[in-house]
Amino acid sequence: GQWVLIHAGASGVGTAAIQLAKHKGAKVIVTAGTDEKLAVCRSLGADIAVNYKQSSFDEEVKRATGGQGVQLILDFIGASYWERNIASLAVDSRMVLISSLGGSKVENVDLAAIYAKRITIIGTLLSTRSVEYKTQLTRDFVRDALPAFADGSLKPIIDTVYPLEEVGEAHRRMEENKNIGKLVLTV
C-alpha cells in the first residue's frame, strides 16, 4: 500500500522494480523520457507515469500522494534529482541510490530536510557485495519471486537480443537511451 517512485522506469532494473513493487502491493510512480517508455511502464503496472522532459516529477508526486510524498525512491539519477527527490519523500521514508547518471556530487545539501522527515538514504552496489550476500539474495529471490514468473505475474522485459558479434550495436542502443528493458547478448 505504500507509494514508490522509480526513476528510469523503462530500464531493465526499472521494469523489474515496477513489477516487484506491484507484486508486493505498492502504488508505483515512474519517470521516463518518452511516451513509448511510459506506456510500457503503465502496462507493467505503474499507476502514474511522468515524462521527466515535460513535467516536474516532484509536483506529480505531491499531487498523487495528497502532499504526503512517497515512502520509497529507487534512484538511478543521483545529483541532478537530489532536491526534487528529497521534496518527494514522505516522513519516515527511504531513498535507495543505485547509480548516478545525473552526477554524483550534490552541492549545498540542506541536511535539515533529511532529518526533519527522518529520511533513510541507502547507497548500494551489487558488484561489490560478497559471494555469500549474492548467494543469499538469489535464494531470497527464488523463494519470493520465482513462483510469480511461473504463473506469469512477473516477466522479464527484453528489448533486443544480439549475437555477441554485435555487442557494439547493443552498446550504441543503450548509450542512445533507446532500449526498454534489458539488452541480451547471446554467446
Side-chain angles (χ1 to χ4, degrees), residues 45-132:
D47 298 286
I48 297 172
V50 180
N51 186 327
Y52 66 84
K53 295 177 182 177
Q54 298 174 351
S55 299
S56 183
F57 69 82
D58 55 325
E59 293 300 321
E60 297 297 329
V61 165
K62 285 178 188 171
R63 191 174 2 270
T65 64
Q68 298 300 304
V70 298
Q71 287 76 33
L72 174 65
I73 294 177
L74 184 58
D75 182 33
F76 302 79
I77 310 305
S80 63
Y81 277 13
W82 181 264
E83 287 182 21
R84 289 180 287 160
N85 277 340
I86 298 298
S88 297
L89 286 162
V91 172
D92 293 320
S93 57
R94 301 160 320 279
M95 179 166 55
V96 180
L97 302 170
I98 60 174
S99 190
S100 54
L101 298 172
S104 61
K105 296 189 190 249
V106 180
E107 308 257 342
N108 303 316
V109 174
D110 180 3
L111 296 175
I114 296 169
Y115 57 74
K117 289 184 176 183
R118 298 184 303 270
I119 296 169
T120 300
I121 300 171
I122 302 164
T124 190
L125 188 59
L126 191 57
S127 63
T128 60
R129 298 286 191 152
S130 69
V131 171
E132 295 80 13

Side-chain angles (χ1 to χ4, degrees), residues 22-54:
K22 293 305 289 186
H23 183 68
K24 292 294 188 180
K27 295 172 276 190
V28 176
I29 302 171
V30 298
T31 62
T34 69
D35 290 341
E36 179 187 14
K37 289 181 177 188
L38 295 172
V40 169
C41 292
R42 282 189 205 93
S43 76
L44 295 173
D47 298 286
I48 297 172
V50 180
N51 186 327
Y52 66 84
K53 295 177 182 177
Q54 298 174 351

Side-chain angles (χ1 to χ4, degrees), residues 134-174:
K134 293 175 189 177
T135 300
Q136 187 59 50
L137 190 63
T138 301
R139 286 186 186 125
D140 293 346
F141 183 81
V142 166
R143 182 193 67 233
D144 297 338
L146 206 55
F149 282 94
D151 72 18
S153 56
L154 293 177
K155 60 185 176 186
I157 306 303
I158 307 297
D159 179 86
T160 308
V161 177
Y162 293 95
L164 185 57
E165 301 77 39
E166 295 179 22
V167 67
E169 184 57 36
H171 206 273
R172 269 188 293 286
R173 184 165 176 78
M174 182 180 63

